[in-house]
Amino acid sequence: MMFLPAVLCVFYVWSPATLIGGQGPTSNIIPRKTVPINSNGGRLFREEGFWNYTTMLLREDLNMLILGAREAIFALDLDDITVKKAMVNWPVTKQQQMECSNKGKDATNDCKNYIRILHKNKDGSMYVCGTKAFNPSCDTMSYANGQLNLENKQEDGKGKCPFDPFQRYTSEMVDGALYTATSMNFRGSEPVMMRSTDEIIRTEFASTWLNEPNFVHMAHIPEGEPNPEGDDDKIYMFFSETAVEYDSYTKVDVSRVARVCKGDLGGQRTLQKKWTSFLKARLDCPVLNINLPLLVQDMFHLCQDDWTTCVFYGVFTLQLDSAVCAYKIEDIKAVFSKSKFKAPFPVETSFVKWALYSSELPDPRPGACIDNHAREKGFAKSLDLPDKTLQFIKEKPLLDQAVSPIGKRALLVKRGTAFTRIVVATATALKGSKHHIMLIGTKSGSVLKAVNYEGKTVIMEEIQVFEPSEPVKILRLSNTTLYVGSEVGVVQLSISECGRYHTCLDCVLARDPYCGWALNTGRCSTIDSTHTTSTVIQSLSDGDASRCPPIGGSKPVNISFFHGNAVKLWCQPYSNLAKVHWQLNGHPIRASNTFQILSDSLMIFNASAEASGHYTCSSVEGKYEAQHVAYDLKMWSGSGTTASLRDVQEKENTLVAMVVILSLILAMLVFWNMYKGHLPLPCCHSRVKDTTNRCGDERFSANQAQQHKVASSTVNMNSNNNYANIQRFSISRETDRLTTTVGSSGQISLRPIDDESEI
Ligand SMILES: *[C@@H]1O[C@H](CO)[C@@H](O)[C@H](O)[C@H]1NC(C)=O
Ligand SMILES: *[C@@H]1O[C@H](CO)[C@@H](O)[C@H](O)[C@H]1NC(C)=O
Ligand SMILES: *[C@@H]1O[C@H](CO)[C@@H](O)[C@H](O)[C@H]1NC(C)=O
Ligand SMILES: *[C@@H]1O[C@H](CO)[C@@H](O)[C@H](O)[C@H]1NC(C)=O
């Protein structure tokens, strides 16, 4: 083989160039690596005839993922979701479907049973609710003897599960009691947040409580546990709604956090069977240059130790602007326990203005849980609370102060992408430090993996999960495995996939706390307890790759071209943050009529003898420059000398060329003879012209044949071990191949392909 793959050569340029990643935390952050769908290493579950895989329950105790879809519930192996352990159908009856469509709903889409609620009961069984053709209903389900069984209880699901499968809702099971937030009527116009035990406690139906809300998330925080004030556990709810407090003639939607106390039993006369502790505050996620508030889409909370360390991570969007904001539980709690209230003041007839309520508050403080202070005053439960306190909260549940995120601004901002969901994992780095890894689902079907170091956020990867543009509808995390649900399928991904980082430089500059470059194996490995700073390189805050061993022995790829060809040389760096740097015989290449520098390649037009030479492509990321690939270009002389042709195939090519020349001579002889009349052929003048033309054609196709030979000899060089250097940075080593294509214009193009079948 004449053409051998080049070997990556790494060297360092110690220029004081600015480090990549100098963006402020609120600027648009580019993901360092893009992982295409065919190399994300994920496992896909989908069942023929079933859709809408958007409800999940992790049963780590059973090692199963319970998946709610349309008209069915699946039990999948948590380690490999392509393994279906069990399933149960829960269809609507013909009767139910007809009643639903008679009320004007679409029979094939709306009038189905969409599973919306899946929770674990105390006894290990599960509570499940579905929309049941706009007639929500709930049941108990168990897993036994390898089967999922529904008990067929037909419990009323009104107020627990939405009627409309397109409406947002949220729910949480706390100590056997189901807390839900949804709409409780057919039209979807009566929002409610309620707790379903024997006695239902719910929100007041008033626009001051909930005003066209979009429910997003609920979380139980056990604040009652080690609490010197004798406070109660809380259930926090996140949603967006139409604001009442702005003097605006257009509707303005805002994000909110509300909360109720776990021990709330409602009031005695006022607020009977209603929350006495429902309070809400605006939730801010400020982004520079965007004036309208971004709206909360999802929330996830992570608690390191006890509840005081809990942090809420939320994704917010406004059309195609998205952000992540994080909130400390202490900051949320401080607003609920200390902020003043807003109150409606009539301004003109039928118009009220919400403003700060500055008069004295009743005691106990409206909305407070029963704590030591209340108990001292003789109020042992919410039923004992005085009317003045209850009347206040009934009319004015909105707090004046808004909840601000950590650092008073967004952790991450992305333009042109709509975030849909978020979960956060904890990673322990080589030196033992803990880091929060944000995994963000997007409307376009990708998952972003981001981390914040000392106030600066980096997006390590953008992993394509669904195509085309299938929004991520649910994310669940178990250890380092992520489950991503959409309407069309579920994908299981590992979030500590270090093999995608190909070189030491790539591995260290990724700044992924899960990964480090193991010096003994020469691989990017998942950090474990056996790794030490002397055997593994990891540099999270600085991205300092100076300890990376240099790699030598770069061998260029040989390429021959014909005069006038267009040649395309591929070079795609591993990182989206890297710039490519092309050189010809050691001199930088500038864009010209001949050279066009593209993001993934170099085009050489109308190549002449001057285009021959040694080409190198380096990627420059931060202060590091690494040679990525090298090519030796040679012009095909076509003179018939075999000096430069050492390969059998090329000898064949020369033979073809010689045959062409001989046939040309023959054709000329024939032509000459015909012209002189030595050959009495029934031919006219035009026929003679034809012959010459055909000769020209023949020569052209011989040229093409030669080019195809060049192509095939390049295609064959798939020795598999050294191709990483020419592949796209995002494609795994094993599947990389090179291919050379000869375009209709005689263009030679060397590119990596990632599908075996293409070879
Ligand atoms: C490229 O061609 C040169 C001779 O022109 C040869 O010495 C070298 O080994 C070839 N390289 C590869 C990688 O085949
Ligand atoms: C269910 O999935 C189908 C197929 O993707 C989609 O068209 C439909 O909108 C989904 N229904 C709901 C209620 O999300
Ligand atoms: C997952 O977490 C459990 C404990 O929660 C632990 O025992 C197990 O080793 C973890 N598995 C992996 C692969 O990290
Ligand atoms: C290619 O280069 C030759 C000279 O080397 C020039 O005469 C010709 O016009 C060029 N063709 C194109 C398409 O640029």
Side-chain angles (χ1 to χ4, degrees):
M1 257 314 98
M2 179 180 176
F3 301 98
L4 278 176
V7 170
L8 185 75
C9 163
V10 180
F11 55 93
Y12 306 115
V13 181
W14 294 107
S15 67
T18 52
L19 259 163
I20 294 284
Q23 318 105 325
T26 48
S27 66
N28 195 14
I29 302 173
I30 298 165
R32 182 176 178 273
K33 209 182 254 295
T34 305
V35 181
I37 194 156
N38 51 11
S39 56
N40 68 19
R43 297 170 198 259
L44 170 74
F45 173 82
R46 75 197 321 166
E47 178 100 344
E48 194 62 39
F50 291 91
W51 299 95
N52 315 94
Y53 304 95
T54 56
T55 310
M56 287 181 191
L57 172 66
L58 284 175
R59 286 295 301 262
E60 279 154 336
D61 54 335
L62 301 174
N63 200 42
M64 286 194 310
L65 176 73
I66 309 296
L67 175 66
R70 186 167 81 181
E71 317 248 286
I73 302 150
F74 299 91
L76 309 177
D77 189 327
L78 207 53
D79 300 323
D80 180 358
I81 60 162
T82 60
V83 177
K84 187 176 77 182
K85 294 260 185 92
M87 82 170 278
V88 61
N89 288 295
W90 191 10
V92 290
T93 61
K94 278 260 155 357
Q95 172 80 14
Q96 285 165 329
Q97 195 166 7
M98 221 169 64
E99 278 168 21
C100 169
S101 61
N102 285 348
K103 288 182 200 161
K105 298 295 174 188
D106 174 41
T108 51
N109 270 315
D110 303 339
C111 301
K112 295 276 184 185
N113 190 22
Y114 291 85
I115 308 304
R116 285 293 177 258
I117 293 204
L118 273 173
H119 287 292
K120 185 184 167 187
N121 288 327
K122 277 179 163 171
D123 64 0
S125 66
M126 287 164 270
Y127 195 70
V128 44
C129 305
T131 59
K132 214 77 192 291
F134 271 76
N135 182 20
S137 111
C138 299
D139 205 346
T140 301
M141 181 176 72
S142 54
Y143 178 79
N145 308 323
Q147 287 195 313
L148 281 176
N149 294 304
L150 284 167
E151 287 179 11
N152 235 326
K153 280 188 176 166
Q154 308 285 3
E155 234 174 73
D156 185 9
K158 210 190 280 177
K160 299 176 184 173
C161 176
F163 284 65
D164 184 342
F166 289 97
Q167 248 183 5
R168 293 270 330 241
Y169 66 96
T170 174
S171 66
E172 181 71 305
M173 188 73 92
V174 183
D175 296 336
L178 181 70
Y179 290 75
T180 53
T182 185
S183 178
M184 64 185 307
N185 63 346
F186 184 86
R187 282 179 52 224
S189 55
E190 195 186 332
V192 68
M193 177 194 182
M194 70 181 211
R195 180 180 65 213
S196 318
T197 41
D198 294 340
E199 188 131 75
I200 287 174
I201 304 291
R202 50 163 290 182
T203 43
E204 182 83 359
F205 181 42
S207 62
T208 47
W209 284 49
L210 294 168
N211 192 19
E212 298 173 40
N214 218 2
F215 299 114
V216 161
H217 183 73
M218 248 186 219
H220 167 228
I221 305 293
E223 290 174 37
E225 277 165 16
N227 196 310
E229 287 122 47
D231 203 352
D232 195 4
D233 283 11
K234 312 275 185 349
I235 289 87
Y236 289 91
M237 183 183 55
F238 298 87
F239 62 107
S240 59
E241 66 170 353
T242 303
V244 289
E245 67 266 36
Y246 293 134
D247 300 328
S248 164
Y249 289 95
T250 53
K251 260 172 59 162
V252 177
D253 286 343
V254 292
S255 304
R256 301 268 198 225
V257 51
R259 68 111 167 100
V260 294
C261 307
K262 196 178 87 173
D264 196 343
L265 301 170
Q268 191 63 261
R269 285 187 307 279
T270 311
L271 290 180
Q272 214 181 63
K273 296 184 186 173
K274 304 276 166 64
W275 300 110
T276 64
S277 56
F278 183 88
L279 285 177
K280 62 178 182 180
R282 204 179 71 221
L283 189 66
D284 280 349
C285 182
V287 172
L288 277 182
N289 306 326
I290 300 179
N291 295 325
L292 277 173
L294 274 69
L295 300 180
V296 63
Q297 304 297 322
D298 196 22
M299 270 283 166
F300 184 86
H301 71 280
L302 198 67
C303 310
Q304 212 89 49
D305 305 304
D306 63 8
W307 67 267
T308 58
T309 62
C310 293
V311 176
F312 287 90
Y313 283 86
V315 283
F316 292 76
T317 65
L318 187 70
Q319 282 145 11
L320 280 179
D321 287 318
S322 295
V324 176
C325 278
Y327 306 85
K328 282 190 194 142
I329 184 70
E330 297 280 23
D331 293 345
I332 298 178
K333 199 175 155 65
V335 168
F336 283 114
S337 59
K338 298 201 180 77
S339 166
K340 294 192 161 136
F341 285 77
K342 277 200 196 305
F345 295 96
V347 186
E348 294 152 27
T349 43
S350 81
F351 184 75
V352 294
K353 185 181 162 70
W354 284 72
L356 179 72
Y357 179 86
S358 45
S359 315
E360 207 169 313
L361 293 177
D363 189 23
R365 179 183 161 90
C369 298
I370 302 296
D371 55 8
N372 292 344
H373 170 75
R375 283 185 207 103
E376 269 161 35
K377 297 200 74 174
F379 309 115
K381 47 190 187 300
S382 65
L383 292 163
D384 305 336
L385 287 170
D387 249 8
K388 258 172 93 179
T389 294
L390 296 181
Q391 201 59 43
F392 189 99
I393 207 69
K394 185 178 173 183
E395 286 157 13
K396 308 178 258 291
L398 179 61
L399 294 165
D400 181 60
Q401 206 183 321
V403 175
S404 286
I406 297 171
K408 303 262 180 281
R409 57 181 173 180
L411 270 184
L412 190 168
V413 175
K414 191 115 181 65
R415 304 259 149 97
T417 308
F419 292 170
T420 56
R421 297 293 184 271
I422 186 168
V423 291
V424 184
T426 308
T428 306
L430 183 62
K431 290 176 181 161
S433 54
K434 297 237 194 282
H435 301 274
H436 288 182
I437 310 295
M438 297 171 255
L439 298 149
I440 303 157
T442 71
K443 202 172 176 180
S444 55
S446 61
V447 170
L448 306 179
K449 179 176 159 189
V451 62
N452 185 279
Y453 295 122
E454 288 141 27
K456 278 186 183 164
T457 300
V458 287
I459 302 178
M460 294 172 277
E461 292 182 317
E462 175 181 33
I463 308 164
Q464 240 98 50
V465 184
F466 299 109
E467 266 177 7
S469 285
E470 194 53 49
V472 171
K473 288 288 175 78
I474 186 166
L475 290 176
R476 286 287 184 269
L477 190 67
S478 174
N479 263 355
T480 55
T481 307
L482 183 69
Y483 303 91
V484 191
S486 72
E487 305 294 359
V488 299
V490 184
V491 170
Q492 170 190 353
L493 293 173
S494 162
I495 58 164
S496 55
E497 206 49 71
C498 302
R500 283 203 280 263
Y501 303 120
H502 298 290
T503 62
C504 181
L505 209 53
D506 189 29
C507 181
V508 177
L509 294 183
R511 298 164 71 192
D512 187 331
Y514 286 116
C515 305
W517 186 258
L519 290 164
N520 57 342
T521 58
R523 277 178 184 281
C524 195
S525 311
T526 309
I527 298 293
D528 65 42
S529 53
T530 67
H531 291 146
T532 64
T533 50
S534 60
T535 59
V536 173
I537 306 172
Q538 188 183 58
S539 173
L540 301 181
S541 319
D542 315 323
D544 178 0
S546 53
R547 279 177 63 211
C548 277
I551 303 164
S554 167
K555 275 204 175 168
V557 176
N558 283 330
I559 290 186
S560 300
F561 63 89
F562 285 93
H563 188 270
N565 273 162
V567 183
K568 189 167 194 169
L569 304 178
W570 289 84
C571 175
Q572 194 159 36
Y574 297 125
S575 164
N576 295 335
L577 305 179
K579 290 192 171 61
V580 295
H581 180 203
W582 284 96
Q583 289 195 324
L584 169 54
N585 299 327
H587 301 293
I589 294 174
R590 310 229 177 280
S592 63
N593 286 343
T594 314
F595 296 115
Q596 191 184 353
I597 300 167
L598 306 171
S599 64
D600 61 353
S601 59
L602 173 73
M603 282 295 304
I604 308 166
F605 294 106
N606 196 10
S608 60
E610 287 101 77
S612 304
H614 183 65
Y615 287 78
T616 57
C617 171
S618 306
S619 70
V620 185
E621 184 171 2
K623 59 184 178 182
Y624 301 100
E625 179 165 349
Q627 186 180 308
H628 212 62
V629 60
Y631 297 97
D632 269 340
L633 256 66
K634 211 170 293 165
M635 194 167 87
W636 211 279
S637 62
S639 63
T641 63
T642 50
S644 64
L645 310 172
R646 306 182 177 200
D647 197 271
V648 181
Q649 277 183 315
E650 266 116 27
K651 280 185 184 146
E652 282 172 14
N653 293 342
T654 327
L655 281 176
V656 173
M658 290 174 94
V659 168
V660 169
I661 292 161
L662 284 174
S663 43
L664 230 155
I665 292 166
L666 192 72
M668 278 164 78
L669 277 173
V670 169
F671 178 76
W672 176 256
N673 280 333
M674 281 184 335
Y675 185 72
K676 285 287 173 184
H678 295 309
L679 280 176
L681 283 173
C683 125
C684 57
H685 203 66
S686 67
R687 179 79 184 164
V688 175
K689 256 190 192 159
D690 256 16
T691 318
T692 21
N693 271 354
R694 211 177 304 134
C695 279
D697 284 353
E698 232 172 279
R699 181 160 49 174
F700 178 69
S701 49
N703 253 348
Q704 291 244 308
Q706 278 180 326
Q707 288 172 17
H708 276 293
K709 285 271 160 53
V710 173
S712 58
S713 60
T714 321
V715 171
N716 285 337
M717 41 179 228
N718 50 9
S719 56
N720 208 10
N721 36 4
N722 288 321
Y723 275 83
N725 52 345
I726 324 170
Q727 77 195 12
R728 285 162 189 264
F729 64 93
S730 52
I731 296 164
S732 70
R733 258 165 214 263
E734 293 71 36
T735 54
D736 286 323
R737 297 292 188 275
L738 286 173
T739 171
T740 303
T741 51
V742 179
S744 53
S745 59
Q747 168 186 320
I748 300 173
S749 140
L750 195 62
R751 71 179 177 90
I753 55 172
D754 44 62
D755 184 358
E756 305 257 17
S757 64
E758 272 186 49
I759 297 165

